Amino acid sequence: MESGPAIFAGTAFALFGGALLLWTTVRVRQGEPVALGAAPRAAAVLAGLAGALSLALGVWCFGRL
């Protein structure tokens, strides 16, 4: 019964984290801003950390099954 919410949360975190990391990587490689009005390096680092943290949470959720 408890595996359903863990699977859903793990999938949501993993998809969001992976998509955020992919989007950040593409924006940095193209030289486009990651966040409007923010310092480019700081925005890329913070977005990368948020994506990695979300991906790690997804892996953690799947590990709890």
Side-chain angles (χ1 to χ4, degrees):
M1 184 62 113
E2 294 176 0
S3 64
I7 291 171
F8 176 76
T11 302
F13 278 125
L15 285 175
F16 175 75
L20 184 59
L21 285 174
L22 178 66
W23 180 80
T24 302
T25 302
V26 169
R27 296 293 286 187
V28 167
R29 284 184 180 243
Q30 291 178 350
E32 297 289 329
V34 175
L36 294 176
R41 285 192 177 124
V45 168
L46 288 176
L49 287 175
L53 178 64
S54 182
L55 196 57
L57 280 172
V59 170
W60 180 77
C61 285
F62 286 130
R64 302 282 295 173
L65 293 177

